[in-house]
Structure formats: C-alpha cells, structure tokens
Amino acid sequence: MKSSENSSNSEQKRVINHNGGQLLVVAGAGTGKTHVIVEHINKLLDSGVAAAQILAVTFTEKAATEMLDRVLARHQQYELQLPIMTFNALGESLLREFSADLGLGRDFRLLSENAQIVFLRQRLDSLELSYFAPVSSPDSLLGDLTNYFSKLKQNVITPETYLKIADKLPSSTVAEKVEKAKHHELAKAYQTYLSLCRGSNVIDYDDQIYLVLELIKKRPNVAAVLAKRFHTVMVDEFQDTNLMQSQLIDHLAKTAKSLIVVGDDDQSIYGFRGATLANILQFKKRYPKTKQVTLTANYRSTQNILDAAYRLIQYNPDRLETRLKLNKKLIGQTKGKPTQVNRFVSLNEELYWIASDIKKRLQAGQKPSGIAVLTRRAKTAELISEALDHADIDHVVVGRRYSLYQTPVVRMLIELTRTLSDQFNNLSLYHTLTSDLFDVPVGALSSLLAKLRREHGDLETAIKETNEPEHAKSRAAVKKLAVWRDEAAVFSVRWLLNKIITDTGYKQRLYQTARDEPARQLAVSHLGEFFNSVLKDFESIAAQPTVLQFTEALPALQAASERGVDDTLDLSHEKVNVLTIHKAKGLEWDTVYIPDCTESSFPLKAMTRGIALPAVLVKKTLEGADDHYAEERRLMYVAMTRAKNNLVLTLADQHGSGKPRRASRFIGELFGKEPLGLTELPANELIAVAEAFTTPPNGSETVQIPRSMFDGKTVSLSVSQVVTFLNCPLDFYFRYVLKIPEEPSPNRDYGSRLHSAIESINRGLLQGETPSLKQLESDMLDSWPKVGYLSLEQRERSIKQAKQTLRNFYRKSAETRLTPKLIEEPFKVKIPDINLVLKGKYDAVFETAEGIEIRDYKTSTRVDTEEAAKARARSSDQLTLYALAWQLSSGELPKRLSLEFIDNQLLASVTKTSKGIDSMVAKLGRVAEAIRAGQFKASSSRHDRCAHPQ
C-alpha cells in the first residue's frame, strides 16, 4: 500500500517507530496494517537488530510471503533468516528444534487430514468406543472425533483435566448418567489418541502448537531459551487467534523488548475454527501497560462504502470501539458511488443479472481481475460460476473444494480398486472395462448387461463363459484382473495401481498426449496428487496398505478431503474471482458483488458443529461478541470493505418452489429499511420467470398451452406434471394449463415442511454440521398454517405427527449417518425421439456399494405396512421417470429406486428394467402427442383428483 515510512500517515508512524513494550494496533480495513508491520521490521533491521530476533506471525502463506517479499526487496538480502511465518510453521519449526526434549523423534511425521483418518481407523479398537461407534458403521464418526480432539487442543485442555472434569459431572438422572459416560468415553479416547500418536511418532496440525505449549510446561530450561529468543514479536490478524495460539505468543514475548499485536475485532470471522475475540478485546486487561494506536485512514474504499459498513457493524455488541472508547469510523480518500442493492423475483434472475452486469463492465474496459463475487456459502459460489459459464465469462472459483476423488482419472482408479476388492461388483467392473484402462466399447457389454438384469448374475462370470468374438477384449481384461487380484493381497495399493497403469499402457498414453492436450495435463496432475498425497499417506500409516484396506477406508478418506486448506494463493490476476468471504480476508477489488443477501443464506442459521465441548471445559468468553449473528455481521463487514469503488448487494425473493425468502437483516441495518422495489429485467433477458400465456382469440375452442410447456416444437414437463397427466389429463389441464387457484391443503403443507426439514438434515450430514433438532422443529413449526383443517384438533394432530416424524427421522439419521450423494438435485433431460424435455428434482441420491439408489420421501400415514409400501413403489410412475432421467443423464439405470414413508418409517425399493423404461417412453410419447393436439380428456379410472367439469 505504501512504499516507505516517509509516505506513512502520523498514526502509522507511531507504530513504525514503536520503541518497546506492548502495543495494540487497532487496524481497520484497508488502513495499511501490512505496511506498518513491514516498515517496523525494516526499522528494526536498520537499527541493527538481528533478523533472527524479529518474529512476525500471521495466518496464511499468502500474507507471510507478501511480508517477507517486501522486506527482502528493500534489503536485497535473499538469504535473510527472518522468521516471518504462519502459526503452524512456527510451531513445527520449534518442534523440530526441540523434539528430543519432548521425547519426539526428530523424524516425526505430520499427519495430513487423510492420514489422520487412516491412523485412527487402523487403531479404532484401541479407542474403546461405544457411544461414538455406531454398530452399522463403527468408523463413521472418526471425522467428528478428530474435530473434537482439535477443539480440545485449541482450548489447551489436557486429557487429565478432561477426565477430572468428567468425573465431577452430575449423574442423578438417567440423562445425566449417559452424558457423564459420554464424556468419560471422549476423555479416554482423547488420552488414547495422544498416546497412540506419541507411540507412532506422528503429530497432527494442532500438535504443532499444542505440543510446543506442553514442551514449555514440562521443560523449564527450554521455556527459558524461548522466552529470551526474540527481541520483537509481532502478530498479524490477532483477532483470529485461539487460546492455544495466544498462550504461545504470551510465552515467546515474555521477556521480549516489544510485543505488537495488530488486528480488528470487526474483522474476526473464524469463530468456527476456535478463534475467540477475548484475545483482542481483553488484551489491555492482560497487559495493563499496553499502548494503543488506531488506524482509521482507509486507502482502499470510497467513503460511501465505508459509511455503509460502519452503520452495519455498530449493531454488534461489545466492540473495541465502545470498550476502549475509540473512534473506529474509517475515513476514505474519495466519496464514490452509493452502495447498490438489487432485488429480484427469482434466484435465477439474480444470477443472470450478476453475470450480465459483469459482462457489461468487462465490455466497458474493466479488468477481469478487478472484479470479485464474494459469497457466504460455497454452494452460492458454484451457482455464480454456472451463471458466469453461461455468459462465457472467464473466471476462477478460488479454493473450490473440487473433490480429487471425483476427477475422472481418480474415479477410474477407485472403480478399479473396488473391482479388485469385490469380483461381484458389476457396476465397478463395467466402469473399469469401459475406462481408458481397457477401452471396451459400451456396446460390446450391452447384451451381457441385458441378460444379467434378467438373471441377476455377475458380469465377470458372464464374460468368462462367453466365447463370442465381440467379448475377446473383455475376456483378456478379466484375466488380467484375476492376476492383479491375487497380487492385491500381497502388495500395497500404491505399488499395484502403478503397476496396472504401466502394464496397460495407460500411463504412457496419458503422458504422450499430455504434451498437447490441456485435459490430459490436468489428468496427469490429478494422478500425481492421488499417488503422492492420498495413496502415499495411506501407505505410510495403514498397518496393511492393501487394496482391500484402502477400499474400506475410502468413505472416511473422502470425508476428510472436504476439510479446508489454505488456498489463499489460488487467486487469479487475469480472471474474475469468485470466492467465499472467508477466503477474501486481506484482499481487495475495484468491484465487489455480494449475492444472496437473504435470511438463512446471509446470515446463515446458527448450527451445531459436530460434538460440542461441555460448557465447563470452555473458559468464559464474551458471549455477545462471540455470538453467531455478530460473527455473521462481521463477515458482511469484511465482504463490503473488500470493495474499492463499486459495491453491489443482490437478493431474490424466490429460491425454487419453497416459501419466499426475507431480505437479510443486514440490508435493513445498512440502509434503515429493506429494499421494496424489484429490479425488472428486459423481456428479452428474462430467464426462469413466471410462465407466459398466450391469450386465445375470443370464441376460440383451441387450448392455448403455456409456451414454457410447449413452444410449438418441444414439450417440456416436470415429473409431477407427467404423473398428473398419466393419472388424469383433465386434472392436468386444470392444474397446469388453466392454473386454477389451489385451495389450502394441510397434507401438502405438512409434506413440504417435513421435506424441508429432511433436506436440512441431509445437507447437515453432507456438510458435517447437522442442525439441532430444536432448531429444525422451530423452523418446521414456524407459522404452521391454520387454514384447511376441519378442526383445531385436526391441526394439533398434524403438528404432533410432524414432530414425531421429524424426531424419528433425526434419530435414525444420527444413528446411521447415511449421507446422500445428491440432495434435492434438479435434472433436465431430453428424449429426442419424442422431442420431450423431462425436468424434476431427486429428493436424495445415495451411492451404495451395489450402485445408485434414488430415494423419494413420502408423508402418508395410510401406508402403514411393508406390503402397502411395496405396492406403492411398484406402481409408482414417479420412480420410473426418475430411473429414465438418471439413465439418460448417466448412461446407467439406477440400482434401486425407493419410497421412504417417513411417518411410519417404512422403506420400499424396486428395480427398473429396460422394458419398463421403454414402456414409460412410449407413454411419454402419447402424453406429448396429446399436449400438442390439445387433448385433455378425463381419465376413465376417474381418480378423485379428476373430478372437474367436462
């Protein structure tokens, strides 16, 4: 931001020239905190302080690299031993130095997230779990346990302390006894985990600091050395430190001449990973002689942006501004444009408008790298990315949690490991044979697959038994697989997979084509990451690193891969950047968009994250400052203050078919009221808006079909529309063509509310942060409709049943941890022969060992027996349509299609054959023909729903 002390303002100079003691620098957004740290280091070096005695600690590799580069550029000493590093890098360097003093071998290994899961899984019995080891999947909670152990370390809680506290927990009631036993189990497991790590000479990420604190406590001689090591200790982003990090700094600065902490309580956004505002808010209480400097001259944003952000953040309680009687109002260099807020009817309109507006800016000459879209959720970032793709705007999703396991080359090898582990896994064998390893044409397997669907045999045996020439390639592949299967019992998975990709010639083909084909270059990169990270970690930790053991560990490994990493170096300097706000700290752009500013999206709802620490274990913090919505407000503040000149907030009333969204509370706080006007798009730009109707001429008897349903050429129908038409075309006409007003339906409201709750549970399972039952009940029962019921008693019965159903489903989900692969996943497929587009949404898609299962949740107390459930599933046109859609989009029929009747906890599954699918396509052809002809006759079966005038 600034090049030297001479260009610094008076407040910055006070920091740069600080000459001993403790200093709290309250550095607002864009006020040059990196500048003052760098210049203070330069000042110390110029005065003769040894580089090794100057410690500067921050949180990201990007920030540490930027600071070091600036210092080195000034002094031109490229070998300068200057400890500017992240907290974890500092901790590991100290552990390497003093490993012997702690009883660690100097060659200790740092467990990656993958390796940590494998390490625990291999030693699962040693943890002696009961409460946290579901019978159906004993290792399903390992991710939750490792996160819990992390929380314990971040709060500097030893196993001994935990056990003592667990002993003192009350046990008067049955519930208290269970809770006490739970924490005894956790404390013992924690103790065992630490012991196992020490015995194996491994550490995890938290150990990099936790063990340094243990070293300081146990070895006074080492503690004395460390306390005297540094002349000056500086900490950047101090508001984001946890208790463990703060204690380390306290010791390293114990006898230092100077301790400088730089931070801004209004930008504390990492509470979910242990950060506590108490560290910065109570710093002057811990160090009473602390001097303070407040930086308020902002060199980034316009005054209009800063004023709006300041109005917002003042709604937060217990801030430094009030606690220390500071003035934190930031002063910009220019007034600039007012903050823009655009409200749309639908989410699709909002996404489309953002993409269009970005395109206009780019066409007007703005640099792509000067534009960013900052989202609260990763899901929103993906939606924005899709919209930008559609608009052909080059962009990057920073830190996109792409799953290595879902890349084509890794999926191919995973299917191969499954094939080697289970010779009866038809689906995996099919994928392996048709992959780039063997390149067997799909058509060559079609006849065998059709036969297998009838006879329920296994594909490998069928290939071995056939002598037809077209299967020669498959037979040769199966013979090789048999040899590798024998070797799989002896050799490590990494060795065997490397042998296979070499023997099949795949590696050579890949490397040759990678020279000229970017897609193949990416495949090589993914292959290297898989071998050198995942497989290498597994091999180094697993007691028996075989293919079978790897396949069994896959679910846990994939879950571990979803955890965040430091991706601050992924920013593009040539493209539009799309990223979550947590990744935007310390960054800036000329133009910033903040989409989806609606309640439950921004701010997000408060959710319980994994296993919670008992209150007695957590030191009292500042409840108001650490409140969930206070942190959400700080996130909005951070997002807004990333913008230099243009700040655009957007929101949409309607997200899908659910109830309308309310504008974020932050909108009202920013502007004094919620925006009332809608942003209307030009008619030629509208997408996914209300269906357009063509008004028929007076006296005409011709049925006018909505253009969104029939544009004169293609018929487009949802699954529910098709099912309605098949039940009764006349009912279809009234519902979807005439769109008669629907009367309140208690059953429909009941079902939609439970569906929303189930979606929240499933998404929580997928994201590892399941909402509490209390919160789910509150959301479900909020404004429960009063109309449509015959009596108050009927309404109360409905509510009672809904609560019981929700509790049953919640309990079952917590026990099984059965997580869908896809949740409320929309689809749109075209059936070319009949020119019909089928649209819909799967409630849940599960990836089982046997294959894909598509599940639809039903609310019906009338289906109360297994026989009735099976009958409904067998006769369900909806399930057949789902099977057809999945086959058209993936090339394979799902293994199972299920109806789960959640009220009575019944699950009925069916399989669909090609014959059944062909029959449905024929039905759809007749439906499309009737719609084109405008024929909507009542069904001869006269379903109740068809009771309309004829």
Side-chain angles (χ1 to χ4, degrees):
M1 179 170 295
K2 292 178 179 293
S3 60
S4 69
E5 181 189 348
N6 293 333
S7 61
S8 305
N9 63 44
S10 59
E11 295 305 308
Q12 289 174 333
K13 287 179 180 178
R14 287 181 59 196
V15 180
I16 295 168
N17 295 322
H18 177 64
N19 194 31
Q22 294 85 33
L23 176 66
L24 170 62
V25 182
V26 182
T31 57
K33 64 181 180 63
T34 302
H35 166 72
V36 296
I37 293 174
V38 168
E39 289 305 319
H40 186 64
I41 292 173
N42 285 329
K43 190 92 172 177
L44 292 171
L45 291 171
D46 290 342
S47 69
V49 177
Q53 290 185 299
I54 305 171
L55 174 66
V57 191
T58 187
F59 279 88
T60 67
E61 293 290 349
K62 179 181 183 298
T65 301
E66 181 182 357
M67 287 182 192
L68 187 57
D69 287 347
R70 286 197 196 182
V71 174
L72 296 180
R74 175 78 63 83
H75 290 269
Q76 298 181 350
Q77 297 179 45
Y78 297 101
E79 299 301 322
L80 194 65
Q81 297 300 307
L82 188 65
I84 299 178
M85 59 185 73
T86 64
F87 270 101
N88 285 78
L90 169 64
E92 182 165 0
S93 70
L94 294 175
L95 285 182
R96 295 287 178 193
E97 182 179 354
F98 297 103
S99 57
D101 298 88
L102 192 58
L104 273 176
R106 189 174 176 81
D107 61 342
F108 67 82
R109 287 175 294 164
L110 174 64
L111 293 176
S112 68
E113 302 283 5
N114 286 328
Q116 191 179 12
I117 292 293
V118 173
F119 179 83
L120 270 181
R121 193 180 186 280
Q122 294 279 313
R123 297 156 179 83
L124 189 59
D125 291 342
S126 299
L127 298 181
E128 298 182 345
L129 298 175
S130 173
Y131 189 100
F132 290 99
V135 175
S136 59
S137 182
D139 61 351
S140 62
L141 296 181
L142 288 181
D144 291 307
L145 286 172
T146 57
N147 286 334
Y148 189 70
F149 296 158
S150 176
K151 291 178 186 177
L152 290 168
K153 291 177 182 178
Q154 289 171 5
N155 283 276
V156 199
I157 298 166
T158 65
E160 294 75 22
T161 300
Y162 195 0
L163 284 167
K164 287 178 182 177
I165 290 175
D167 284 337
K168 295 178 182 178
L169 291 176
S171 57
S172 301
T173 66
V174 173
E176 287 176 343
K177 288 178 180 176
V178 172
E179 186 70 5
K180 184 173 184 175
K182 180 182 85 172
H183 285 292
H184 258 292
E185 179 174 309
L186 285 169
K188 292 293 290 183
Y190 179 43
Q191 186 177 53
T192 301
Y193 171 65
L194 294 182
S195 177
L196 289 170
C197 286
R198 299 306 157 264
S200 301
N201 204 37
V202 298
I203 67 169
D204 60 33
Y205 285 108
D206 292 296
D207 282 334
Q208 290 176 316
I209 300 173
Y210 179 82
L211 289 182
V212 174
L213 294 179
E214 183 178 310
L215 173 70
I216 291 169
K217 182 179 179 181
K218 290 184 175 180
R219 302 295 187 223
N221 55 328
V222 176
V225 171
L226 292 178
K228 297 175 182 177
R229 172 164 291 185
F230 299 108
H231 173 280
T232 296
V233 175
M234 288 174 282
V235 185
D236 187 21
E237 305 285 10
F238 190 67
Q239 76 279 352
D240 292 326
T241 53
N242 57 39
L243 183 62
M244 180 173 67
Q245 293 160 338
S246 180
Q247 286 190 10
L248 175 60
I249 293 300
D250 285 344
H251 184 81
L252 295 178
K254 183 172 285 186
T255 62
K257 181 178 179 181
S258 180
L259 169 61
I260 303 175
V261 297
V262 184
D264 180 11
D265 58 310
D266 292 333
Q267 297 186 73
S268 177
I269 59 173
Y270 293 111
F272 68 92
R273 67 183 189 194
T276 173
L277 268 170
N279 286 341
I280 191 168
L281 293 182
Q282 297 177 348
F283 186 77
K284 290 193 73 173
K285 183 177 180 180
R286 285 165 40 218
Y287 294 98
K289 296 182 180 180
T290 296
K291 299 174 184 177
Q292 69 184 48
V293 175
T294 306
L295 304 181
T296 57
N298 180 281
Y299 298 94
R300 176 189 299 154
S301 306
T302 64
Q303 194 62 52
N304 272 325
I305 292 172
L306 297 175
D307 288 347
Y310 187 63
R311 284 194 297 271
L312 172 78
I313 203 63
Q314 286 183 301
Y315 281 86
N316 267 4
D318 201 4
R319 297 169 55 240
L320 274 176
E321 186 168 40
T322 53
R323 182 178 277 253
L324 300 182
K325 295 181 173 56
L326 307 176
N327 179 5
K328 291 186 61 183
K329 181 175 173 60
L330 300 179
I331 307 301
Q333 308 303 302
T334 59
K335 185 173 182 180
K337 304 172 186 176
T339 298
Q340 184 179 346
V341 182
N342 287 44
R343 175 173 160 241
F344 302 88
V345 172
S346 70
L347 176 61
N348 281 341
E349 286 187 42
E350 178 186 1
L351 297 170
Y352 177 87
W353 182 87
I354 290 173
S356 299
D357 199 56
I358 290 174
K359 194 156 199 171
K360 290 175 185 175
R361 293 182 189 274
L362 295 175
Q363 290 170 345
Q366 186 166 353
K367 292 182 178 180
S369 60
I371 300 174
V373 184
L374 306 183
T375 69
R376 176 61 187 90
R377 301 183 297 171
K379 176 184 175 182
T380 309
E382 292 300 328
L383 293 175
I384 292 291
S385 178
E386 291 176 12
L388 296 181
D389 279 336
H390 187 270
D392 198 26
I393 295 173
D394 206 7
H395 67 282
V396 61
V397 180
V398 179
R400 174 180 258 158
R401 284 189 176 182
Y402 89 94
S403 175
L404 176 66
Y405 297 90
Q406 294 304 315
T407 57
V409 66
V410 174
R411 286 175 62 185
M412 177 184 76
L413 294 182
I414 285 175
E415 292 297 345
L416 173 61
T417 63
R418 288 171 174 156
T419 300
L420 296 175
S421 300
D422 180 7
Q423 69 183 86
F424 301 108
N425 190 328
N426 289 348
L427 184 62
S428 290
L429 177 58
Y430 169 83
H431 286 309
T432 297
L433 293 177
T434 56
S435 72
D436 287 345
L437 289 173
F438 297 108
D439 202 25
V440 173
V442 174
L445 297 175
S446 59
S447 59
L448 285 179
L449 290 170
K451 180 181 178 182
L452 291 174
R453 280 193 288 268
R454 294 191 299 271
E455 299 177 0
H456 306 290
D458 71 275
L459 181 58
E460 187 166 324
T461 300
I463 290 172
K464 290 176 182 177
E465 292 177 349
T466 181
N467 292 316
E468 296 178 12
E470 65 175 335
H471 298 303
K473 202 171 185 179
S474 298
R475 286 196 299 273
V478 166
K479 286 181 180 179
K480 288 183 178 179
L481 287 169
V483 174
W484 295 330
R485 194 171 284 129
D486 290 337
E487 293 176 331
V490 180
F491 299 108
S492 76
V493 60
R494 188 160 60 129
W495 181 92
L496 183 61
L497 291 184
N498 185 64
K499 180 178 187 295
I500 291 173
I501 63 174
T502 302
D503 289 354
T504 57
Y506 172 76
K507 183 194 291 186
Q508 184 179 3
R509 294 193 301 272
L510 180 64
Y511 288 1
Q512 286 176 339
T513 55
R515 298 191 194 104
D516 304 312
E517 299 178 25
R520 306 292 270 184
Q521 293 170 6
L522 195 59
V524 172
S525 174
H526 292 153
L527 194 67
E529 185 178 354
F530 185 60
F531 271 84
N532 298 325
S533 175
V534 177
L535 295 181
K536 188 175 181 180
D537 283 347
F538 175 79
E539 191 174 78
S540 68
I541 295 298
Q544 294 181 314
T546 61
V547 167
L548 179 60
Q549 291 288 318
F550 176 76
T551 306
E552 290 177 351
L554 258 175
L557 289 171
Q558 288 175 300
S561 73
E562 292 300 313
R563 299 188 213 172
V565 295
D566 181 6
D567 42 38
T568 56
L569 301 176
D570 295 342
L571 284 167
S572 172
H573 299 290
E574 294 82 31
K575 304 177 183 180
V576 172
N577 285 279
V578 181
L579 60 160
T580 60
I581 299 164
H582 281 105
K583 297 181 177 70
K585 278 290 289 292
L587 305 176
E588 60 186 33
W589 295 270
D590 183 78
T591 301
V592 168
Y593 296 83
I594 308 175
D596 199 8
C597 297
T598 59
E599 285 293 306
S600 299
S601 288
F602 200 180
L604 283 178
K605 292 181 181 178
M607 294 189 199
T608 302
R609 298 176 181 272
I611 308 168
L613 291 174
V616 68
L617 274 177
V618 183
K619 292 188 178 181
K620 185 69 174 176
T621 58
L622 305 150
E623 294 180 2
D626 284 327
D627 174 73
H628 168 76
Y629 288 105
E631 179 155 322
E632 290 288 304
R633 192 173 285 107
R634 291 193 292 271
L635 267 170
M636 177 62 85
Y637 179 83
V638 166
M640 294 175 68
T641 54
R642 300 310 95 194
K644 294 180 181 179
N645 295 303
N646 304 294
L647 176 62
V648 184
L649 280 62
T650 63
L651 63 149
D653 293 348
Q654 201 68 42
H655 288 217
S657 58
K659 61 183 180 181
R661 298 286 188 97
R662 290 184 292 123
S664 167
R665 65 191 71 185
F666 301 151
I667 299 295
E669 293 170 1
L670 281 166
F671 305 104
K673 63 179 181 179
E674 295 182 1
L676 301 176
L678 287 170
T679 301
E680 296 185 3
L681 301 180
N684 64 330
E685 293 185 0
L686 288 176
I687 59 171
V689 294
E691 293 177 341
F693 290 85
T694 302
T695 306
N698 291 333
S700 172
E701 297 181 359
T702 304
V703 177
Q704 299 296 318
I705 312 297
R707 288 190 61 81
S708 62
M709 190 179 293
F710 176 51
D711 62 5
K713 182 179 179 181
T714 303
V715 174
S716 299
L717 300 174
S718 68
V719 168
S720 59
Q721 287 172 338
V722 171
V723 171
T724 301
F725 195 102
L726 293 175
N727 285 336
C728 177
L730 184 62
D731 184 45
F732 174 92
Y733 173 74
F734 275 91
R735 281 195 188 191
Y736 301 112
V737 178
L738 297 184
K739 286 188 173 269
I740 61 171
E742 294 187 39
E743 294 182 4
S745 168
N747 289 337
R748 186 168 55 248
D749 288 332
Y750 176 91
S752 64
R753 287 168 184 271
L754 275 169
H755 267 77
S756 295
I758 289 172
E759 179 183 354
S760 295
I761 292 171
N762 280 337
R763 291 199 186 283
L765 289 170
L766 193 62
Q767 298 166 1
E769 44 186 34
T770 308
S772 68
L773 180 59
K774 182 178 179 181
Q775 183 64 55
L776 288 166
E777 282 190 359
S778 174
D779 291 345
M780 182 179 72
L781 300 180
D782 182 35
S783 304
W784 188 277
K786 296 180 180 180
V787 297
Y789 294 97
L790 298 177
S791 64
L792 288 176
E793 290 77 9
Q794 184 195 15
R795 181 175 184 269
E796 290 304 313
R797 285 197 301 272
S798 180
I799 291 174
K800 183 178 180 181
Q801 177 64 54
K803 291 171 70 175
Q804 185 59 52
T805 297
L806 177 59
R807 289 169 186 164
N808 290 340
F809 189 91
Y810 190 87
R811 182 173 60 250
K812 178 184 174 184
S813 297
E815 291 171 353
T816 64
R817 307 296 296 181
L818 184 61
T819 306
K821 173 185 178 182
L822 301 172
I823 302 165
E824 295 294 325
E825 180 72 9
F827 61 81
K828 184 176 181 181
V829 295
K830 186 170 185 178
I831 308 171
D833 293 342
I834 58 177
N835 208 4
L836 181 142
V837 172
L838 180 66
K839 302 171 290 185
K841 185 182 290 185
Y842 307 116
D843 280 358
V845 177
F846 296 87
E847 191 168 28
T848 69
E850 294 80 19
I852 291 295
E853 177 192 351
I854 298 175
R855 187 175 299 188
D856 197 72
Y857 299 107
K858 297 293 184 186
T859 51
S860 174
T861 54
R862 289 179 294 180
V863 179
D864 55 3
T865 65
E866 290 186 6
E867 290 73 18
K870 289 178 181 177
R872 279 283 298 274
R874 284 194 296 267
S875 63
S876 173
D877 287 327
Q878 180 184 12
L879 292 184
T880 308
L881 290 165
Y882 285 162
L884 169 62
W886 188 268
Q887 183 187 48
L888 288 172
S889 60
S890 70
E892 285 289 311
L893 279 172
K895 186 67 176 179
R896 282 197 303 273
L897 297 111
S898 305
L899 295 180
E900 183 170 353
F901 297 91
I902 56 176
D903 286 312
N904 291 315
Q905 302 183 69
L906 294 170
L907 179 68
S909 300
V910 294
T911 57
K912 296 295 179 179
T913 64
S914 296
K915 182 178 180 181
I917 297 299
D918 291 343
S919 176
M920 176 55 71
V921 171
K923 289 181 182 179
L924 288 172
R926 292 191 289 273
V927 169
E929 185 179 343
I931 289 175
R932 290 187 178 97
Q935 297 175 351
F936 304 100
K937 296 182 179 180
S939 170
S940 57
S941 60
R942 298 295 296 164
H943 287 269
D944 291 341
R945 289 176 293 173
C946 285
H948 297 297
Q950 297 184 60

